[in-house]
Amino acid sequence: MTTARTLLAALPDAARKLDPRTMVRNPVMFVVEVGAVLATALAVTDPDVFAWSVVGWLWATVLFANLAEAVAEGRGKAQAATLRNAQAQTTARRLGADGAAEDVVPAAELRLGDVVVVDAGELVPGDGDVIEGVASVDESAITGESAPVIRESGGDRSSVTGGTRVLSDRIVVRITARPGESFIDRMIALVEGAARQKTPNEIALNVLLASLTVVFLMATVTLQPFAVYSGAEQSLIVLVALLVCLIPTTIGALLSAIGIAGMDRLVQHNVLAMSGRAVEAAGDVNTLLLDKTGTITLGNRQASELLPAAGVSAAELADAAQLSSLADETPEGRSIVVLAKTAYGLRERAAGELTSAHFVPFTAQTRMSGVDLDGGRQVRKGAAGAVLAWVRENHGQVGPDVAVAVDAVATAGGTPLVVADVTAGGAARALGVITLKDVVKPGMRERFEEMRRMGIRTVMITGDNPLTAKAIADEAGVDDFLAEATPEDKMALIKREQEGGRLVAMTGDGTNDAPALAQADVGVAMNSGTSAAKEAGNMVDLDSNPTKLIEIVEIGKQLLITRGSLTTFSIANDIAKYFAIIPAMFAGVYGGLGTLNVMGLATPRSAILSAVVFNALVIVALIPLALRGVRYRPSSAADMLRRNLAVYGLGGIVAPFVGIKLIDLLVSQIPGIG
């Protein structure tokens, strides 16, 4: 929340930004600063109360513009300080080429590919991937969450960040970032605004504002000859005041702060945007790709039932299901082992008991896992389509009862896994179906309905078969789904959407998600995921919550709406300034212009000064709105435009009439002005 104390604390930074080398990056406010310098010189040579009053408020206008940006940047400094503490000088125990000898070196000397060992109680010396071991890691310095997380070799939870602390066990880490280019280094630069680049829309608006400034500058310069001709020559102080009031100073002052605040709002939601372009793209997204498990559903799918095939006993199916799940460390795999033990009385065997067995891990390409046992027997468990294809490849036949069971589980919204085996020299056979149950998160249908009102199409991505995917999609209320999705399928879907002129957002955490994350216009990588995923995406969710993609889109839209609303207000409030200044400048010569003095301003000098004062104060008044953002309500573009024009267009016209009149009542009491 922006308070008076916050504004006062940012004043020193705002004053430092008065450096012309800094101001020149903002053409509108640079013109105001040049005008303030010129007015100051004129006031020194020909001093009076009016001249010095105008000079003071011109400098205040420049200072207030810098204040908006300084406050926005200051909100990120606290987090940057916390992150710097996480970068405390640490040493690294670097392993030699033989993998045994340790060499203690400063963390800053680590290079790409170096391998280090980290024990309990030690800080991770640099960004990397765990290549050996499993450990509990404290990431509170980055995420703000005190609960430790598990990091382990292999899979999608292998990435560790420099500056985090290992709480238990021992891990071996391969360094994946150069010194000064670590995740924390990038976070510090981004939250402080040092690495913020202007977005395409922001650049386009800056060009428009600069063009308007040039137009009004030419109009002001050419106005003096007409004034001289009509016998109403104006002082340069008045012309400078006119120029400053005519150019779009309000949005020119707040534009940078709006962009910084948009990224800061993401940081408050524990999302790190690698560029302002990503935040802006989030506001224009047309298609959301959402993983089913953990995003739309609770994600804790549990084995609930075993359905044996004809001629197969329940005990035989349970035994095969347990065997094929011993090396499966996923929650689903562990739940199958538990179900076989509790419901069918099977002893929970450890993978170490099968020393000569070869375990086949699950991959996104094969979509199944299993074990090859002594004697040539092979057992497989996985997605129905993949396992049934494996059965046919091994000369087996699939009975109609298995297909019926698969369809029944899928139609009910569950996930069917098929278990099959093949013996040495024999044909493969499908042993039965495992039912996995998942639950759609509460409120998801309402969230997707909001997305639909915003004009956003939602697509659920899942590895489930089409029947299961359709049942979950219908229950959740998404617009479409992609079933049995492989990494290649995700890429193809994103490209199809983009070829239709749509912007696509998606989340991912694994190495196999990296190509799709890189292709998407908004790629949100999970902090718990692999280094490849985080490098490919343009946002990182520090909480690793896939559902947050919906909030990211809303924050992006709020940024665009805030920028549009304040631009509308800025241009609209210039109308009132015309009615204040133009009649005041020429009413003495052209009496008819007095009828345009609808505000009944006291004198020409008080009218001009009141307009300059309002022009400065309105910037301060709008800083909290620029930082907080205009409230976003899900609605169509037409409804948002009508509301924008009604509130900020009409308000931008009415507010200056009231504000300038109130200020005139005060300044007209000042001797030499009233």
Side-chain angles (χ1 to χ4, degrees), residues 378-623:
Q378 300 176 9
V379 185
R380 295 292 184 271
K381 169 214 68 189
V387 175
L388 294 180
W390 179 82
V391 170
R392 296 186 183 98
E393 289 171 4
N394 286 276
H395 313 294
Q397 299 294 323
V398 179
D401 58 315
V402 174
V404 170
V406 167
D407 290 347
V409 172
T411 303
T415 300
L417 299 182
V418 174
V419 181
D421 74 348
V422 60
T423 56
R429 57 178 182 153
L431 300 175
V433 177
I434 304 171
T435 301
L436 296 181
K437 283 190 175 179
D438 202 353
V439 179
V440 173
K441 290 181 178 179
M444 292 306 295
R445 177 174 285 275
E446 291 74 16
R447 297 295 296 276
F448 291 137
E449 183 59 38
E450 287 183 6
M451 296 288 110
R452 204 169 290 115
R453 288 200 299 270
M454 292 156 52
I456 296 175
R457 178 170 171 263
T458 52
V459 181
M460 182 183 77
I461 307 294
T462 178
D464 291 336
N465 66 64
L467 283 175
T468 302
K470 185 178 188 307
I472 297 294
D474 290 343
E475 184 180 352
V478 295
D479 297 309
D480 201 356
F481 64 89
L482 178 65
E484 298 180 340
T486 64
E488 293 77 16
D489 293 334
K490 294 180 186 179
M491 277 285 290
L493 175 60
I494 292 172
K495 289 180 178 179
R496 284 199 304 273
E497 293 290 323
Q498 291 173 331
E499 287 168 0
R502 292 178 284 272
L503 296 185
V504 180
M506 74 160 287
T507 62
D509 59 1
T511 300
N512 62 345
D513 290 324
L517 287 170
Q519 180 68 34
D521 300 283
V522 179
V524 184
M526 301 296 101
N527 188 47
S528 63
T530 62
S531 297
K534 289 193 281 189
E535 288 293 332
N538 50 23
M539 290 189 186
V540 177
D541 177 18
L542 302 180
D543 294 331
S544 301
N545 176 12
T547 311
K548 202 176 291 182
L549 181 58
I550 298 174
E551 279 78 15
I552 290 171
V553 170
E554 292 177 349
I555 290 171
K557 285 191 174 295
Q558 186 183 35
L559 169 67
L560 297 179
I561 291 169
T562 302
R563 186 186 295 155
S565 298
L566 293 185
T567 300
T568 303
F569 183 90
S570 177
I571 294 174
N573 71 25
D574 284 342
I575 296 174
K577 298 171 196 172
Y578 303 155
F579 280 93
I581 295 181
I582 299 298
M585 292 173 63
F586 296 102
V589 177
Y590 302 105
L593 287 177
T595 59
L596 295 179
N597 185 16
V598 294
M599 288 179 275
L601 303 180
T603 66
R605 284 192 164 195
S606 73
I608 294 169
L609 181 58
S610 297
V612 173
V613 172
F614 176 83
N615 195 58
L617 293 181
V618 74
I619 295 173
V620 179
L622 290 175
I623 287 177

Side-chain angles (χ1 to χ4, degrees), residues 124 126-133 135-139 142-143 149-162 164 166 171-177 182-183 186 508-511 525-535 540-542 544:
V124 177
D127 294 0
D129 288 328
V130 179
I131 59 174
E132 181 184 322
S136 175
V137 180
D138 176 12
E139 295 186 342
I142 299 173
T143 66
V149 296
I150 300 299
R151 293 291 178 260
E152 57 190 338
S153 60
D156 296 337
R157 294 185 176 273
S158 61
S159 175
V160 290
T161 305
T164 57
V166 173
I171 53 175
V172 179
V173 178
R174 178 177 287 113
I175 299 299
T176 58
S182 70
F183 188 62
R186 285 183 292 163
D509 59 1
T511 300
M526 301 296 101
N527 188 47
S528 63
T530 62
S531 297
K534 289 193 281 189
E535 288 293 332
V540 177
D541 177 18
L542 302 180
S544 301

Side-chain angles (χ1 to χ4, degrees), residues 334-421:
R334 288 193 290 269
S335 74
I336 293 171
V337 174
V338 171
L339 178 66
K341 177 184 177 182
T342 57
Y344 296 92
L346 292 181
R347 181 175 60 87
E348 186 174 348
R349 292 167 291 191
E353 294 182 31
L354 306 170
T355 53
S356 59
H358 171 66
F359 290 97
V360 179
F362 175 87
T363 68
Q365 285 71 32
T366 63
R367 297 179 23 250
M368 60 181 177
S369 62
V371 61
D372 296 340
L373 301 169
D374 290 338
R377 186 188 181 201
Q378 300 176 9
V379 185
R380 295 292 184 271
K381 169 214 68 189
V387 175
L388 294 180
W390 179 82
V391 170
R392 296 186 183 98
E393 289 171 4
N394 286 276
H395 313 294
Q397 299 294 323
V398 179
D401 58 315
V402 174
V404 170
V406 167
D407 290 347
V409 172
T411 303
T415 300
L417 299 182
V418 174
V419 181
D421 74 348

Side-chain angles (χ1 to χ4, degrees), residues 40-384:
T40 302
L42 294 171
V44 170
T45 57
D46 187 15
D48 66 8
V49 174
F50 173 72
W52 280 112
S53 298
V54 171
V55 166
W57 284 103
L58 288 179
W59 280 112
T61 303
V62 182
L63 186 65
F64 293 161
N66 291 340
L67 186 65
E69 186 173 359
V71 170
E73 291 176 349
R75 296 172 74 176
K77 288 184 177 179
Q79 182 162 357
T82 301
L83 293 172
R84 283 199 175 90
N85 291 335
Q87 277 193 314
Q89 292 297 321
T90 59
T91 57
R93 293 159 55 197
R94 183 170 58 190
L95 295 180
D98 58 1
E102 292 184 8
D103 180 20
V104 179
V105 298
E109 293 184 10
L110 293 176
R111 297 294 180 265
L112 279 173
D114 283 351
V115 177
V116 299
V117 60
V118 190
D119 282 322
E122 296 179 347
L123 291 175
V124 177
D127 294 0
D129 288 328
V130 179
I131 59 174
E132 181 184 322
V134 56
S136 175
V137 180
D138 176 12
E139 295 186 342
S140 58
I142 299 173
T143 66
E145 297 292 336
S146 58
V149 296
I150 300 299
R151 293 291 178 260
E152 57 190 338
S153 60
D156 296 337
R157 294 185 176 273
S158 61
S159 175
V160 290
T161 305
T164 57
R165 186 178 298 277
V166 173
L167 299 179
S168 69
D169 303 293
R170 175 184 186 273
I171 53 175
V172 179
V173 178
R174 178 177 287 113
I175 299 299
T176 58
R178 297 180 179 86
E181 298 179 6
S182 70
F183 188 62
I184 290 184
D185 288 318
R186 285 183 292 163
M187 283 187 69
I188 291 172
L190 288 164
V191 299
E192 285 188 327
R196 195 186 86 88
Q197 295 180 338
K198 291 182 178 179
T199 65
N201 284 350
E202 196 173 344
I203 292 172
L205 185 53
N206 259 317
V207 171
L208 173 63
L209 298 180
S211 301
L212 289 174
T213 300
V214 171
V215 169
F216 286 121
L217 178 61
M218 294 174 62
T220 303
V221 170
T222 56
L223 185 65
Q224 184 71 323
F226 291 101
V228 172
Y229 177 78
S230 61
E233 181 177 355
Q234 303 295 318
S235 68
L236 286 178
I237 289 281
V238 171
L239 292 175
V240 169
L242 173 65
L243 174 63
V244 170
C245 289
L246 293 186
I247 62 178
T249 51
T250 305
I251 186 60
L254 298 173
L255 185 58
S256 180
I258 293 170
I260 295 173
M263 296 185 71
D264 180 65
R265 280 193 291 276
L266 278 178
V267 170
Q268 291 174 21
H269 283 73
N270 260 6
V271 177
L272 177 65
M274 299 304 180
S275 69
R277 181 192 295 265
V279 186
E280 197 169 83
D284 284 330
V285 159
N286 308 108
T287 304
L288 279 183
L289 305 187
L290 301 162
D291 277 332
K292 186 201 78 171
T293 305
T295 303
I296 295 174
T297 63
L298 293 175
N300 54 345
R301 295 187 301 180
Q302 301 289 305
S304 61
E305 188 180 7
L306 298 182
L307 305 173
V312 178
S313 68
E316 187 179 2
L317 173 59
D319 180 72
Q322 187 188 62
L323 278 172
S324 61
S325 302
L326 288 177
D328 187 349
E329 293 300 321
T330 64
E332 294 90 342
R334 288 193 290 269
S335 74
I336 293 171
V337 174
V338 171
L339 178 66
K341 177 184 177 182
T342 57
Y344 296 92
L346 292 181
R347 181 175 60 87
E348 186 174 348
R349 292 167 291 191
E353 294 182 31
L354 306 170
T355 53
S356 59
H358 171 66
F359 290 97
V360 179
F362 175 87
T363 68
Q365 285 71 32
T366 63
R367 297 179 23 250
M368 60 181 177
S369 62
V371 61
D372 296 340
L373 301 169
D374 290 338
R377 186 188 181 201
Q378 300 176 9
V379 185
R380 295 292 184 271
K381 169 214 68 189

